[in-house]
Structures are given as structure tokens and as C-alpha cells.
Amino acid sequence: RSHLQTVRYFLIIIRLCQELVKELAAQDSLYALSKGFEKGKVDLATYLRLSREMAKEEFHAKAALLKIKQVQSTTAYSQ
């Protein structure tokens, strides 16, 4: 394995972790937002606006994770 392959592998892993953190943060935010709405601390308009934004962030993170997994499967380290 060359040094360049090792560096590329670690960069893929770092990006994978970053996108996973984004996805989990969006899920946590959606949960907290829904609890705030249920308790009456967040009005409907705010709830809808923020939940749409969080869902969009979660979607983009999941899409990036899929793309990273595709790239990773084409490398020599996919085993």
C-alpha cells in the first residue's frame, strides 16, 4: 500500500465521520424541536420551518454518506 492510498483512505474515513455527525445532529435537533412543539414552547410556523431545514440537512448528510460509501467501495481498502 502506498502512502497516497493510506492518506486517501483516512480522508474518506474523516469525511464519513463528519457526515455521520451531521446526520445524527439533525436527528437530535428534530427530536428536540418536536418535544418543544409538543410542550408548547415552539409555535407551529417555527416548528414547520425548522423541521424542514433539519430534514433537508439530514437528507444531504445521508446522500453524502451514500456517495462516500460508493467511493470507498472502489478503493483497495473496501474489504
Coordinates of all heavy atoms in Angstrom, one line a residue:
R1 N 0.8 -1.2 0.0 CA 0.0 0.0 0.0 C 0.9 1.2 0.0 O 1.8 1.4 0.8 CB -0.9 0.0 1.2 CG -1.9 -1.1 1.3 CD -2.7 -1.0 2.5 NE -3.6 -2.2 2.5 CZ -4.1 -2.7 3.6 NH1 -4.0 -2.2 4.7 NH2 -4.9 -3.8 3.5
S2 N 0.5 2.1 -0.9 CA 1.3 3.3 -0.9 C 0.9 4.4 0.1 O -0.2 4.3 0.7 CB 1.2 4.0 -2.3 OG 0.0 4.6 -2.5
H3 N 1.7 5.3 0.4 CA 1.4 6.4 1.3 C 0.2 7.1 0.9 O -0.7 7.5 1.6 CB 2.6 7.3 1.5 CG 2.3 8.5 2.4 ND1 2.2 8.3 3.7 CD2 2.2 9.8 2.1 CE1 1.9 9.5 4.3 NE2 2.0 10.4 3.3
L4 N 0.1 7.4 -0.4 CA -1.1 8.1 -1.0 C -2.4 7.4 -0.8 O -3.4 8.0 -0.5 CB -0.8 8.4 -2.5 CG -1.9 9.2 -3.2 CD1 -2.0 10.6 -2.6 CD2 -1.5 9.4 -4.7
Q5 N -2.4 6.1 -1.0 CA -3.6 5.3 -0.7 C -4.0 5.3 0.7 O -5.2 5.4 1.0 CB -3.3 3.8 -1.1 CG -3.3 3.6 -2.6 CD -2.9 2.1 -2.9 OE1 -2.1 1.5 -2.2 NE2 -3.5 1.6 -3.9
T6 N -3.0 5.3 1.6 CA -3.3 5.4 3.1 C -3.9 6.7 3.4 O -4.9 6.8 4.1 CB -2.1 5.1 3.9 OG1 -1.5 3.9 3.5 CG2 -2.4 5.2 5.4
V7 N -3.4 7.8 2.9 CA -3.9 9.1 3.1 C -5.3 9.3 2.6 O -6.2 9.8 3.2 CB -2.9 10.2 2.5 CG1 -3.6 11.6 2.5 CG2 -1.6 10.2 3.2
R8 N -5.5 8.8 1.4 CA -6.8 8.8 0.8 C -7.8 8.1 1.6 O -9.0 8.5 1.8 CB -6.8 8.3 -0.6 CG -8.1 8.3 -1.3 CD -8.1 7.7 -2.7 NE -9.5 7.5 -3.1 CZ -9.9 7.7 -4.4 NH1 -9.0 8.1 -5.3 NH2 -11.1 7.5 -4.7
Y9 N -7.5 6.9 2.1 CA -8.4 6.1 3.0 C -8.7 6.9 4.2 O -9.9 6.9 4.6 CB -7.7 4.8 3.3 CG -8.4 4.0 4.3 CD1 -9.5 3.3 4.0 CD2 -8.0 3.9 5.7 CE1 -10.3 2.5 4.9 CE2 -8.7 3.2 6.6 CZ -9.8 2.5 6.2 OH -10.5 1.7 7.1
F10 N -7.8 7.5 4.9 CA -8.1 8.3 6.1 C -8.9 9.5 5.8 O -9.8 9.9 6.6 CB -6.8 8.6 6.9 CG -6.3 7.4 7.6 CD1 -5.1 6.8 7.3 CD2 -7.0 6.9 8.7 CE1 -4.6 5.7 8.0 CE2 -6.5 5.8 9.4 CZ -5.3 5.2 9.0
L11 N -8.7 10.1 4.7 CA -9.5 11.3 4.3 C -11.0 10.8 4.1 O -11.9 11.5 4.5 CB -9.0 12.0 3.1 CG -7.7 12.7 3.2 CD1 -7.2 13.3 1.9 CD2 -7.9 13.8 4.3
I12 N -11.2 9.7 3.5 CA -12.5 9.1 3.3 C -13.2 8.8 4.7 O -14.3 9.2 4.9 CB -12.5 7.9 2.4 CG1 -12.2 8.3 1.0 CG2 -13.8 7.1 2.5 CD1 -11.9 7.1 0.1
I13 N -12.4 8.3 5.6 CA -12.9 7.9 6.9 C -13.3 9.2 7.6 O -14.4 9.3 8.3 CB -11.9 7.1 7.7 CG1 -11.7 5.8 7.0 CG2 -12.4 7.0 9.1 CD1 -12.9 4.9 6.9
I14 N -12.5 10.2 7.5 CA -12.8 11.5 8.2 C -14.0 12.1 7.7 O -14.9 12.6 8.4 CB -11.6 12.5 8.1 CG1 -10.4 12.0 8.9 CG2 -12.0 13.9 8.4 CD1 -9.1 12.7 8.6
R15 N -14.2 12.1 6.3 CA -15.4 12.7 5.7 C -16.6 11.9 6.1 O -17.7 12.4 6.4 CB -15.2 12.7 4.2 CG -16.4 13.3 3.4 CD -16.5 14.8 3.6 NE -17.8 15.3 3.2 CZ -18.0 15.7 2.0 NH1 -17.1 15.6 1.0 NH2 -19.2 16.1 1.7
L16 N -16.5 10.6 6.2 CA -17.6 9.7 6.6 C -18.0 10.1 8.0 O -19.2 10.2 8.3 CB -17.1 8.2 6.5 CG -18.2 7.2 6.8 CD1 -19.2 7.1 5.7 CD2 -17.5 5.8 7.0
C17 N -17.1 10.2 8.9 CA -17.4 10.6 10.3 C -18.1 12.0 10.3 O -19.0 12.2 11.1 CB -16.1 10.6 11.1 SG -15.5 9.0 11.4
Q18 N -17.6 12.9 9.6 CA -18.2 14.3 9.5 C -19.7 14.2 9.1 O -20.5 14.9 9.7 CB -17.4 15.2 8.6 CG -16.0 15.6 9.1 CD -15.2 16.3 8.1 OE1 -15.4 16.2 6.9 NE2 -14.3 17.1 8.6
E19 N -19.9 13.5 8.1 CA -21.3 13.4 7.6 C -22.2 12.6 8.5 O -23.4 13.0 8.7 CB -21.3 12.8 6.2 CG -20.7 13.6 5.1 CD -21.2 15.0 5.0 OE1 -22.4 15.2 5.2 OE2 -20.4 15.9 4.6
L20 N -21.6 11.6 9.2 CA -22.4 10.9 10.2 C -22.8 11.8 11.3 O -23.9 11.8 11.8 CB -21.6 9.7 10.6 CG -22.4 8.7 11.6 CD1 -23.7 8.2 11.0 CD2 -21.5 7.6 12.0
V21 N -21.9 12.6 11.8 CA -22.1 13.6 12.8 C -23.2 14.5 12.4 O -24.1 14.9 13.2 CB -20.8 14.3 13.3 CG1 -21.1 15.5 14.1 CG2 -19.9 13.3 14.0
K22 N -23.2 15.0 11.2 CA -24.2 15.9 10.7 C -25.6 15.3 10.7 O -26.6 15.9 11.1 CB -23.9 16.4 9.3 CG -22.8 17.4 9.2 CD -22.5 17.7 7.7 CE -21.3 18.6 7.5 NZ -21.1 18.9 6.1
E23 N -25.6 14.0 10.2 CA -26.9 13.3 10.2 C -27.5 13.1 11.6 O -28.6 13.4 11.9 CB -26.7 11.9 9.5 CG -28.0 11.1 9.5 CD -27.9 9.7 9.0 OE1 -26.7 9.3 8.8 OE2 -28.9 9.0 8.9
L24 N -26.6 12.7 12.5 CA -27.1 12.5 13.9 C -27.5 13.8 14.6 O -28.4 13.8 15.4 CB -26.0 11.8 14.7 CG -25.6 10.3 14.3 CD1 -24.4 9.8 15.0 CD2 -26.8 9.4 14.4
A25 N -26.8 14.9 14.3 CA -27.1 16.2 14.9 C -28.5 16.6 14.4 O -29.3 17.1 15.1 CB -26.0 17.2 14.6
A26 N -28.7 16.4 13.1 CA -30.0 16.8 12.5 C -31.2 15.9 13.2 O -32.2 16.5 13.5 CB -30.0 16.6 11.0
Q27 N -30.9 14.6 13.4 CA -31.9 13.8 14.1 C -32.2 14.3 15.5 O -33.3 14.4 15.9 CB -31.4 12.3 14.1 CG -31.5 11.7 12.7 CD -30.9 10.3 12.8 OE1 -30.5 9.8 13.8 NE2 -30.8 9.6 11.6
D28 N -31.1 14.6 16.2 CA -31.3 15.1 17.6 C -32.0 16.4 17.6 O -32.9 16.6 18.5 CB -29.9 15.3 18.3 CG -29.3 13.9 18.6 OD1 -29.9 12.9 18.6 OD2 -28.1 13.9 19.0
S29 N -31.7 17.3 16.7 CA -32.4 18.6 16.6 C -33.9 18.4 16.3 O -34.7 19.1 16.9 CB -31.7 19.5 15.5 OG -30.4 19.7 15.8
L30 N -34.2 17.5 15.4 CA -35.6 17.2 15.0 C -36.3 16.7 16.3 O -37.5 17.1 16.5 CB -35.7 16.2 13.9 CG -35.5 16.8 12.5 CD1 -35.3 15.7 11.5 CD2 -36.6 17.7 12.1
Y31 N -35.7 15.8 17.0 CA -36.3 15.3 18.2 C -36.6 16.4 19.2 O -37.7 16.5 19.8 CB -35.4 14.2 18.8 CG -36.0 13.6 20.1 CD1 -37.0 12.7 20.1 CD2 -35.5 14.0 21.3 CE1 -37.5 12.2 21.2 CE2 -36.0 13.5 22.5 CZ -37.0 12.6 22.5 OH -37.5 12.1 23.6
A32 N -35.6 17.2 19.5 CA -35.7 18.3 20.5 C -36.8 19.3 20.0 O -37.6 19.8 20.8 CB -34.4 19.0 20.7
L33 N -36.8 19.6 18.7 CA -37.8 20.5 18.2 C -39.2 20.0 18.3 O -40.1 20.7 18.7 CB -37.5 20.8 16.7 CG -38.3 21.8 16.0 CD1 -38.2 23.2 16.6 CD2 -37.9 21.8 14.5
S34 N -39.4 18.7 18.1 CA -40.7 18.1 18.2 C -41.2 18.1 19.7 O -42.3 18.3 20.0 CB -40.8 16.7 17.7 OG -40.0 15.8 18.4
K35 N -40.2 17.9 20.6 CA -40.6 17.9 22.0 C -40.9 19.3 22.4 O -41.9 19.5 23.2 CB -39.4 17.4 22.9 CG -39.2 15.9 22.8 CD -40.4 15.2 23.3 CE -40.3 13.7 23.1 NZ -41.5 13.0 23.5
G36 N -40.2 20.3 21.9 CA -40.5 21.7 22.2 C -41.9 22.1 21.7 O -42.7 22.8 22.3
F37 N -42.2 21.6 20.5 CA -43.6 21.8 19.9 C -44.7 21.2 20.8 O -45.7 21.8 21.0 CB -43.6 21.4 18.5 CG -44.9 21.6 17.8 CD1 -45.4 22.8 17.5 CD2 -45.7 20.5 17.5 CE1 -46.6 23.0 16.9 CE2 -47.0 20.7 16.9 CZ -47.4 21.9 16.6
E38 N -44.4 19.9 21.1 CA -45.4 19.2 22.0 C -45.7 19.9 23.3 O -46.8 19.9 23.8 CB -44.9 17.8 22.2 CG -45.0 16.9 21.0 CD -44.3 15.5 21.3 OE1 -44.0 15.2 22.5 OE2 -44.1 14.8 20.3
K39 N -44.7 20.5 23.9 CA -44.8 21.2 25.1 C -45.3 22.7 25.0 O -45.5 23.4 26.0 CB -43.5 21.2 25.9 CG -43.1 19.8 26.3 CD -41.8 19.8 27.1 CE -41.4 18.4 27.5 NZ -40.1 18.3 28.2
G40 N -45.5 23.1 23.7 CA -46.0 24.4 23.5 C -44.9 25.5 23.6 O -45.3 26.7 23.6
K41 N -43.7 25.1 23.5 CA -42.6 26.1 23.6 C -42.2 26.6 22.2 O -41.4 27.6 22.1 CB -41.4 25.5 24.3 CG -41.7 25.2 25.8 CD -40.5 24.7 26.6 CE -41.0 24.4 27.9 NZ -40.1 24.8 29.0
V42 N -42.6 25.9 21.2 CA -42.3 26.3 19.8 C -43.6 26.4 19.1 O -44.5 25.5 19.1 CB -41.4 25.2 19.1 CG1 -41.1 25.6 17.7 CG2 -40.1 25.1 19.9
D43 N -43.8 27.6 18.4 CA -45.1 27.7 17.6 C -45.1 26.9 16.3 O -44.0 26.5 15.9 CB -45.4 29.2 17.4 CG -44.3 29.8 16.5 OD1 -43.2 30.2 17.0 OD2 -44.6 29.9 15.3
L44 N -46.2 26.8 15.7 CA -46.4 25.9 14.5 C -45.5 26.4 13.4 O -44.8 25.6 12.7 CB -47.8 25.8 14.1 CG -48.1 25.0 12.9 CD1 -47.7 23.5 13.1 CD2 -49.6 25.1 12.5
A45 N -45.5 27.7 13.1 CA -44.7 28.2 12.0 C -43.2 28.0 12.2 O -42.6 27.5 11.2 CB -45.0 29.7 11.8
T46 N -42.8 28.2 13.3 CA -41.3 28.0 13.6 C -41.0 26.5 13.6 O -40.0 26.1 13.0 CB -41.0 28.5 15.0 OG1 -41.3 29.9 15.1 CG2 -39.5 28.3 15.4
Y47 N -41.9 25.7 14.1 CA -41.7 24.2 14.1 C -41.6 23.7 12.6 O -40.7 23.0 12.3 CB -42.9 23.5 14.8 CG -42.8 22.0 14.6 CD1 -41.9 21.2 15.3 CD2 -43.7 21.4 13.8 CE1 -41.9 19.9 15.2 CE2 -43.7 20.0 13.6 CZ -42.7 19.2 14.3 OH -42.7 17.9 14.1
L48 N -42.5 24.2 11.8 CA -42.5 23.7 10.4 C -41.3 24.2 9.6 O -40.7 23.4 8.9 CB -43.8 24.2 9.7 CG -45.1 23.6 10.1 CD1 -46.3 24.3 9.4 CD2 -45.1 22.1 9.9
R49 N -40.9 25.4 9.9 CA -39.7 26.0 9.2 C -38.5 25.3 9.6 O -37.7 24.8 8.8 CB -39.6 27.5 9.5 CG -38.4 28.1 8.8 CD -38.3 29.6 9.1 NE -38.4 30.0 10.5 CZ -37.4 30.0 11.3 NH1 -36.2 29.7 10.9 NH2 -37.6 30.4 12.6
L50 N -38.3 25.1 10.9 CA -37.1 24.5 11.4 C -37.0 23.0 11.1 O -36.0 22.4 10.8 CB -36.9 24.7 12.9 CG -36.6 26.2 13.3 CD1 -36.6 26.3 14.8 CD2 -35.3 26.7 12.7
S51 N -38.2 22.3 11.2 CA -38.2 20.9 10.9 C -37.9 20.6 9.4 O -37.2 19.7 9.1 CB -39.5 20.2 11.3 OG -40.6 20.7 10.6
R52 N -38.3 21.5 8.6 CA -38.0 21.4 7.1 C -36.5 21.6 6.9 O -35.9 20.8 6.2 CB -38.8 22.4 6.3 CG -38.7 22.2 4.8 CD -39.7 23.1 4.1 NE -39.7 24.5 4.5 CZ -40.8 25.1 5.1 NH1 -41.9 24.4 5.3 NH2 -40.7 26.3 5.4
E53 N -35.9 22.6 7.6 CA -34.5 22.8 7.5 C -33.7 21.6 8.0 O -32.7 21.2 7.3 CB -34.1 24.1 8.2 CG -34.5 25.3 7.6 CD -34.2 26.6 8.4 OE1 -33.4 26.5 9.4 OE2 -34.8 27.6 8.2
M54 N -34.1 21.1 9.1 CA -33.3 19.9 9.7 C -33.5 18.7 8.8 O -32.5 17.9 8.7 CB -33.8 19.6 11.1 CG -33.5 20.7 12.2 SD -31.8 20.8 12.4 CE -31.5 22.4 11.7
A55 N -34.7 18.5 8.3 CA -34.9 17.3 7.4 C -34.0 17.4 6.2 O -33.4 16.4 5.7 CB -36.3 17.2 7.1
K56 N -33.9 18.7 5.7 CA -33.1 18.9 4.5 C -31.6 18.6 4.8 O -30.9 17.9 4.0 CB -33.2 20.3 4.0 CG -32.6 20.6 2.6 CD -32.8 22.1 2.2 CE -34.2 22.5 2.1 NZ -34.4 23.9 1.6
E57 N -31.1 19.1 6.0 CA -29.7 18.8 6.4 C -29.5 17.3 6.5 O -28.5 16.8 6.1 CB -29.4 19.5 7.7 CG -29.2 21.0 7.5 CD -28.8 21.7 8.8 OE1 -28.2 21.1 9.6 OE2 -29.1 22.9 8.9
E58 N -30.5 16.6 7.1 CA -30.3 15.2 7.3 C -30.3 14.4 6.0 O -29.5 13.5 5.8 CB -31.5 14.6 8.2 CG -31.4 13.2 8.5 CD -32.6 12.7 9.3 OE1 -33.6 13.4 9.4 OE2 -32.5 11.5 9.8
F59 N -31.1 14.9 5.0 CA -31.1 14.3 3.7 C -29.8 14.5 3.0 O -29.2 13.5 2.5 CB -32.2 14.9 2.9 CG -32.2 14.5 1.4 CD1 -32.7 13.3 1.0 CD2 -31.6 15.3 0.5 CE1 -32.6 12.9 -0.3 CE2 -31.5 14.9 -0.9 CZ -32.0 13.7 -1.2
H60 N -29.2 15.7 3.1 CA -28.0 15.9 2.4 C -26.8 15.1 3.1 O -25.9 14.6 2.4 CB -27.6 17.4 2.4 CG -28.5 18.2 1.5 ND1 -28.4 18.1 0.1 CD2 -29.4 19.2 1.7 CE1 -29.3 18.9 -0.4 NE2 -29.9 19.6 0.5
A61 N -26.9 15.0 4.4 CA -25.9 14.2 5.0 C -26.0 12.7 4.6 O -25.0 12.0 4.4 CB -26.0 14.3 6.6
K62 N -27.2 12.2 4.6 CA -27.4 10.8 4.1 C -26.9 10.6 2.7 O -26.3 9.5 2.4 CB -28.8 10.4 4.3 CG -29.3 10.1 5.7 CD -30.7 9.6 5.8 CE -31.0 9.3 7.2 NZ -32.4 8.7 7.3
A63 N -27.2 11.5 1.8 CA -26.8 11.4 0.4 C -25.3 11.4 0.4 O -24.7 10.7 -0.4 CB -27.4 12.6 -0.4
A64 N -24.6 12.3 1.2 CA -23.2 12.3 1.2 C -22.6 11.0 1.7 O -21.6 10.5 1.2 CB -22.7 13.5 2.0
L65 N -23.2 10.4 2.7 CA -22.8 9.1 3.2 C -22.8 8.1 2.2 O -21.9 7.3 2.0 CB -23.6 8.7 4.5 CG -23.3 9.5 5.8 CD1 -24.4 9.2 6.8 CD2 -21.9 9.1 6.3
L66 N -23.9 8.1 1.4 CA -24.0 7.1 0.3 C -22.9 7.2 -0.7 O -22.3 6.3 -1.2 CB -25.4 7.1 -0.3 CG -26.6 6.6 0.5 CD1 -27.9 6.9 -0.2 CD2 -26.4 5.1 0.8
K67 N -22.7 8.5 -1.1 CA -21.6 8.8 -2.0 C -20.3 8.4 -1.5 O -19.5 7.8 -2.3 CB -21.6 10.3 -2.4 CG -20.7 10.7 -3.4 CD -21.1 10.1 -4.8 CE -20.2 10.7 -5.8 NZ -20.5 10.1 -7.1
I68 N -20.0 8.6 -0.3 CA -18.7 8.3 0.3 C -18.6 6.7 0.3 O -17.5 6.2 0.0 CB -18.6 8.8 1.7 CG1 -18.5 10.4 1.7 CG2 -17.4 8.2 2.5 CD1 -18.7 11.0 3.0
K69 N -19.6 6.1 0.7 CA -19.6 4.6 0.7 C -19.3 4.0 -0.7 O -18.6 3.1 -0.9 CB -20.9 4.0 1.2 CG -21.0 4.2 2.7 CD -22.3 3.7 3.3 CE -22.4 4.0 4.8 NZ -23.7 3.5 5.3
Q70 N -19.9 4.7 -1.8 CA -19.6 4.3 -3.1 C -18.1 4.5 -3.5 O -17.5 3.6 -4.1 CB -20.5 5.1 -4.1 CG -21.9 4.7 -4.1 CD -22.7 5.6 -5.0 OE1 -22.3 6.7 -5.5 NE2 -24.0 5.3 -5.2
V71 N -17.6 5.6 -3.1 CA -16.2 5.9 -3.4 C -15.3 4.9 -2.6 O -14.3 4.4 -3.1 CB -15.8 7.4 -2.9 CG1 -14.3 7.6 -2.9 CG2 -16.5 8.3 -3.9
Q72 N -15.7 4.7 -1.3 CA -14.9 3.7 -0.5 C -14.9 2.3 -1.1 O -13.9 1.6 -1.1 CB -15.4 3.7 0.9 CG -14.6 2.9 1.9 CD -15.2 2.9 3.3 OE1 -16.3 3.2 3.5 NE2 -14.3 2.7 4.2
S73 N -16.0 1.9 -1.7 CA -16.1 0.6 -2.2 C -15.2 0.4 -3.5 O -14.9 -0.7 -3.9 CB -17.5 0.2 -2.6 OG -18.0 1.0 -3.6
T74 N -14.8 1.5 -4.1 CA -13.9 1.4 -5.3 C -12.5 1.5 -4.9 O -11.6 1.3 -5.8 CB -14.3 2.6 -6.3 OG1 -14.0 3.8 -5.6 CG2 -15.7 2.5 -6.7
T75 N -12.1 1.7 -3.6 CA -10.7 1.7 -3.2 C -10.3 0.3 -2.8 O -11.1 -0.6 -2.6 CB -10.5 2.7 -2.0 OG1 -11.2 2.2 -0.9 CG2 -11.0 4.1 -2.4
A76 N -9.0 0.2 -2.7 CA -8.4 -1.1 -2.3 C -8.7 -1.4 -0.8 O -8.5 -2.6 -0.4 CB -6.9 -1.0 -2.5
Y77 N -9.2 -0.5 0.0 CA -9.5 -0.7 1.4 C -10.9 -1.0 1.7 O -11.4 -1.0 2.8 CB -9.1 0.6 2.2 CG -7.7 0.9 2.1 CD1 -7.2 1.8 1.3 CD2 -6.8 0.3 3.0 CE1 -5.8 2.1 1.2 CE2 -5.5 0.5 3.0 CZ -5.0 1.5 2.1 OH -3.7 1.7 2.1
S78 N -11.7 -1.4 0.7 CA -13.1 -1.7 0.9 C -13.4 -3.0 1.5 O -14.5 -3.4 1.8 CB -13.9 -1.6 -0.4 OG -13.4 -2.6 -1.3
Q79 N -12.4 -3.8 1.8 CA -12.6 -5.1 2.4 C -12.9 -5.1 3.8 O -12.5 -4.3 4.6 CB -11.3 -6.0 2.2 CG -11.0 -6.1 0.7 CD -9.7 -6.8 0.4 OE1 -8.9 -7.0 1.3 NE2 -9.4 -7.0 -0.8

